[in-house]
């Protein structure tokens, strides 16, 4: 039995090698075909014959698509089970990563809104705003998901100058393509309700959750605080591309982008035509006003500096700024209760970013007592867990007034996590977090389509065994340039295709 499985694994490995060899031979032959087309008739016929052979091979690949996936993955996993336990642990992790690559294979190209520069809608460094758009298809052709990228904020000139040198401050430094997974996935098994929508990710390069608007630019720093203009410029660019005809629209975002989806929720609805079904989703964007472990109001001071530096006050909801200080209106607990558009709040009660940066920021923990705990909740001492349980209670109290409508959605799990819509393993996989017997994707989809309302708050940590409590946030937009500028999805089935195409190319 062991030998048979080992053989299966070796065959599986050989197919991988053949797959990459296929690229070399096929590209070489393709160039030959291009040189032949237009030559003598007999040579054209030979070229066409070769192409047809490859096409037959490609069709044959489709027949064995699922079979090969199943045998390849199952065989590999069974082989892993037989090896040394320590080695097996790492190989199982490799299998998981391979499975994850299957679901994160779509890479989408960037679109620069160059016309926005004339309107002053620019990133921190003055470069044009940008977004990534994967077009909808089928029944989703007139449905739009607009997703704000996250990535923190800059609260003073020094931090904004540092940010300007990264993709979070300049579109010149953004990758040409980014991975679309989770709620952005284009495959129904991994994103059942939004897979065929127009899915747009607005890149984040202003540092103010798209709220800033300062006309003056200091020539010494050349910093532009124009986040609110970026937001409007991107929407204006998308409207003639089909957004104006939207039948369904969902404004979402993660972290700082999740905050933006709350702050701009009602204005988004106002920008679309009457009759459009519009809702908003905030993922890990419900930042609360609490004191840190030293008793200092660190986050309140921080948010006040952001609002002041970026001139955000005039772009925050008037329903809040008319009665409270503008900096308070950067906190969702003071804005969300007045949002009229249906809003879904998705958040971990033990949000790992808030635990690390609001409850126990480095400035409040100079000796690093919280360092190990912040990396992994399982390392927390009883006293630290007590502080985190108190944080949860304050979070739920701040959330209380935001659940005053039946149109609201609420998914507050007890995971130690931050951002759960952008990573496939948290959004919709076999081992994704579950609350009220529903995974996040199912709860959000049911809420958007009015199939079932969803307002659930999880029991305290560590009651939910479905949580993946590493506390690791998703990477900032995995950016790369896949082969030939196409989707870089390496399915196991393509390994068989590689063999068949290679055979076709090498035919005399």
């Amino acid at each position: 039995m062991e030998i048979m499985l080992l053989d299966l694994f070796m065959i599986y490995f050989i197919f991988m090698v053949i797959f990459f060899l296929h690229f070399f031979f096929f590209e070489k032959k393709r160039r030959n075909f291009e040189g032949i087309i237009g030559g003598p008739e007999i040579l054209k016929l030979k070229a066409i014959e070769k192409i047809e052979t490859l096409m037959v091979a490609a069709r044959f690949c489709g027949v064995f698509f699922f079979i090969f996936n199943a045998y390849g993955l199952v065989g590999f996993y069974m082989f892993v089970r037989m090896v040394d336990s320590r080695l097996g642990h790492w190989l199982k992790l490799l299998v998981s990563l391979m499975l994850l690559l299957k679901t994160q294979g779509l890479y989408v190209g960037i679109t620069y809104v160059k016309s926005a520069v004339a309107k002053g809608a620019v990133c921190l460094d003055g470069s044009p705003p940008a977004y990534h758009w994967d077009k909808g298809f089928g029944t989703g052709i007139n449905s739009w998901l607009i997703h704000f990228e996250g990535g923190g904020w800059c609260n003073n000139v020094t931090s904004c100058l540092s940010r300007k040198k990264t993709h979070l401050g300049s579109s010149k430094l953004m990758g040409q393509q980014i991975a679309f997974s989770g709620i952005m996935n284009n495959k129904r098994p991994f994103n059942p309700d939004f897979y065929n929508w127009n899915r747009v990710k607005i890149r984040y390069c202003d540092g103010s959750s798209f709220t800033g608007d300062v006309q003056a630019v200091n020539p010494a720093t050349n910093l532009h605080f124009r986040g609110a203009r970026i937001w409007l410029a991107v929407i204006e660019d998308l409207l003639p591309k089909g957004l104006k005809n939207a039948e369904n629209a969902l404004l979402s975002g993660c972290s700082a982008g999740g905050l933006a989806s709350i702050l701009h929720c009602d204005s988004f609805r106002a920008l679309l035509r009457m009759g459009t079904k519009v809702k908003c989703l905030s993922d890990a964007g419900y930042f609360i006003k609490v004191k840190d472990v030293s008793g200092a109001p660190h986050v309140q001071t921080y948010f006040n500096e952001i609002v002041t530096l970026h001139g955000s006050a005039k772009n925050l909801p008037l329903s809040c700024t008319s009665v409270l200080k503008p900096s308070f209106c950067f906190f969702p607990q003071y804005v969300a209760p007045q949002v009229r558009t249906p809003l879904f709040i998705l958040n971990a009660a033990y949000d790992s970013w808030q635990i690390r940066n609001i409850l126990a920021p480095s400035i409040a923990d100079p000796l690093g007592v919280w360092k190990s705990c912040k990396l992994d909740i399982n390392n927390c001492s009883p006293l630290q867990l007590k502080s985190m349980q108190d944080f949860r209670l304050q979070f739920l109290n701040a959330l209380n007034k935001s659940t005053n409508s039946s149109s609201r959605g609420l998914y507050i799990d007890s995971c130690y996590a931050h951002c759960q819509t952008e990573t496939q393993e948290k959004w919709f996989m076999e081992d994704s977090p579950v609350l009220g017997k529903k995974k996040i994707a199912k709860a959000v989809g049911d809420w958007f389509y009015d199939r079932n309302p969803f307002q659930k708050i999880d029991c305290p940590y560590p009651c939910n065994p479905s949580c993946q409590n590493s506390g690791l946030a998703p990477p900032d937009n995995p950016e790369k340039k896949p082969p030939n500028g196409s989707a870089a999805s390496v399915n196991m089935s393509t390994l068989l295709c590689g063999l068949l195409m290679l055979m076709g190319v090498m035919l005399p």
Side-chain angles (χ1 to χ4, degrees):
M1 180 65 177
E2 288 84 358
I3 294 175
M4 183 181 71
L5 291 174
L6 181 58
D7 289 342
L8 181 58
F9 171 65
M10 292 306 299
I11 292 171
Y12 183 75
F13 177 78
I14 292 170
F15 273 122
M16 292 181 66
V17 174
I18 292 172
F19 172 73
F20 289 106
L21 287 174
H22 146 259
F23 278 114
F24 173 78
F25 285 107
F26 182 78
E27 183 64 18
K28 181 179 178 181
K29 289 293 182 179
R30 184 184 63 79
R31 293 196 183 102
N32 290 340
F33 293 159
E34 290 175 349
I36 290 172
I37 298 300
E41 189 67 22
I42 187 167
L43 291 180
K44 284 198 283 186
L45 289 174
K46 287 183 178 181
I48 292 171
E49 184 179 40
K50 284 180 174 287
I51 293 173
E52 286 178 345
T53 301
L54 293 175
M55 292 302 294
V56 170
R59 293 190 190 101
F60 186 66
C61 287
V63 176
F64 290 94
F65 181 88
F66 291 104
I67 297 175
F68 195 77
N69 268 287
Y71 276 110
L73 290 173
V74 171
F76 187 41
Y77 182 73
M78 292 180 69
F79 169 74
V80 165
R81 288 176 61 90
M82 297 183 302
V83 299
D84 175 77
S85 60
R86 180 173 294 182
L87 178 60
H89 172 75
W90 292 105
L91 288 176
K92 287 175 186 177
L93 179 60
L94 178 61
V95 174
S96 299
L97 290 173
M98 291 171 68
L99 282 167
L100 191 58
L101 283 174
K102 282 174 62 61
T103 67
Q104 293 186 330
L106 177 68
Y107 281 82
V108 179
I110 197 168
T111 298
Y112 298 101
V113 190
K114 295 180 180 178
S115 61
V117 176
K119 305 173 186 177
V122 293
C123 299
L124 285 172
D125 71 335
S127 57
Y131 62 85
H132 300 257
W133 172 29
D134 189 39
K135 294 183 179 180
F137 57 92
T139 58
I141 198 166
N142 287 320
S143 296
W144 288 76
L145 169 62
I146 310 295
H147 188 83
F148 286 115
E149 179 184 18
W153 308 270
C154 59
N155 63 317
N156 53 46
V157 170
T158 302
S159 62
C160 288
L161 284 173
S162 297
R163 189 183 182 94
K164 188 176 74 167
K165 299 174 184 177
T166 73
H167 71 274
L168 290 171
S170 172
S171 62
K172 296 176 183 177
L173 301 175
M174 295 175 183
Q176 294 300 296
Q177 297 180 325
I178 62 172
F180 269 23
S181 63
I183 196 171
M184 308 298 284
N185 203 307
N186 70 334
K187 299 182 182 69
R188 188 171 188 172
F190 306 113
N191 187 22
D193 286 300
F194 308 106
Y195 72 100
N196 63 350
W197 284 30
N198 292 279
R199 285 153 290 108
V200 178
K201 174 170 275 192
I202 304 177
R203 299 306 299 268
Y204 184 34
C205 62
D206 66 276
S208 71
S209 286
F210 301 88
T211 63
D213 193 354
V214 177
Q215 179 63 32
V217 177
N218 186 334
T221 63
N222 196 37
L223 284 172
H224 299 72
F225 303 113
R226 306 284 178 76
R229 297 192 197 186
I230 289 175
W231 155 240
L232 290 175
V234 170
I235 294 300
E236 288 173 3
D237 193 67
L238 291 171
L239 284 170
K241 294 179 178 180
L243 181 58
K244 66 180 179 180
N245 301 317
E247 297 172 359
N248 298 297
L250 177 64
L251 182 67
S252 66
C254 153
S255 192
L259 171 59
S261 68
I262 296 175
L263 299 177
H264 292 296
C265 185
D266 284 338
S267 64
F268 177 61
R269 185 176 190 175
L271 291 168
L272 301 181
R273 66 183 178 87
M274 293 289 291
T276 303
K277 184 186 184 75
V278 182
K279 296 189 178 184
C280 305
L281 165 64
S282 172
D283 174 17
Y286 206 92
F287 301 95
I288 64 171
K289 186 172 73 71
V290 294
K291 293 181 178 180
D292 61 31
V293 290
S294 72
H298 172 71
V299 70
Q300 184 177 337
T301 301
Y302 183 64
F303 276 11
N304 181 64
E305 292 170 349
I306 294 168
V307 170
T308 302
L309 177 69
H310 291 266
S312 300
K314 56 182 172 289
N315 296 308
L316 297 173
L318 185 61
S319 59
C320 179
T321 56
S322 61
V323 294
L324 293 173
K325 291 170 55 178
S327 61
F328 278 42
C329 299
F330 213 65
F331 289 99
Q333 66 199 78
Y334 301 111
V335 176
Q338 282 77 46
V339 173
R340 299 184 302 276
T341 307
L343 171 66
F344 194 106
I345 298 171
L346 163 65
N347 227 103
Y350 307 91
D351 185 291
S352 57
W353 191 94
Q354 294 197 55
I355 296 296
R356 294 168 181 168
N357 298 281
I358 294 180
L359 177 64
S362 298
I363 193 171
D365 182 35
L367 299 179
V369 175
W370 277 79
K371 184 177 180 179
S372 179
C373 172
K374 290 192 291 185
L375 288 174
D376 188 337
I377 195 172
N378 296 308
N379 296 333
C380 297
S381 69
L383 188 60
Q384 290 169 331
L385 284 175
K386 173 65 167 56
S387 295
M388 292 172 69
Q389 298 292 11
D390 290 342
F391 175 86
R392 172 183 177 271
L393 293 177
Q394 292 180 80
F395 179 87
L396 296 182
N397 184 58
L399 188 68
N400 185 46
K401 292 182 180 179
S402 298
T403 59
N404 55 3
S405 170
S406 59
S407 68
R408 290 288 163 90
L410 201 63
Y411 196 108
I412 309 299
D413 57 36
S414 288
C415 302
Y416 186 58
H418 184 67
C419 288
Q420 301 180 86
T421 59
E422 293 185 347
T423 54
Q424 196 61 53
E425 65 269 22
K426 290 183 173 69
W427 174 247
F428 196 67
M429 290 285 278
E430 184 178 349
D431 59 348
S432 296
V434 175
L435 178 59
K437 299 182 179 180
K438 284 189 180 182
K439 296 175 183 177
I440 297 168
K442 180 64 174 171
V444 173
D446 285 350
W447 166 80
F448 184 88
Y449 284 109
D450 301 314
R451 293 190 292 252
N452 287 298
F454 195 92
Q455 290 190 356
K456 300 286 184 182
I457 297 175
D458 210 351
C459 47
Y461 171 86
C463 71
N464 191 334
S466 69
C467 286
Q468 303 161 6
N469 286 320
S470 68
L472 297 176
D476 288 337
N477 287 327
E479 306 181 24
K480 74 179 196 179
K481 299 178 180 179
N484 302 325
S486 61
S489 180
V490 183
N491 289 305
M492 301 309 162
S493 58
T494 56
L495 304 179
L496 181 58
C497 293
L499 174 63
L500 293 170
M501 287 185 176
L502 181 60
M503 290 171 61
V505 171
M506 298 179 71
L507 285 175

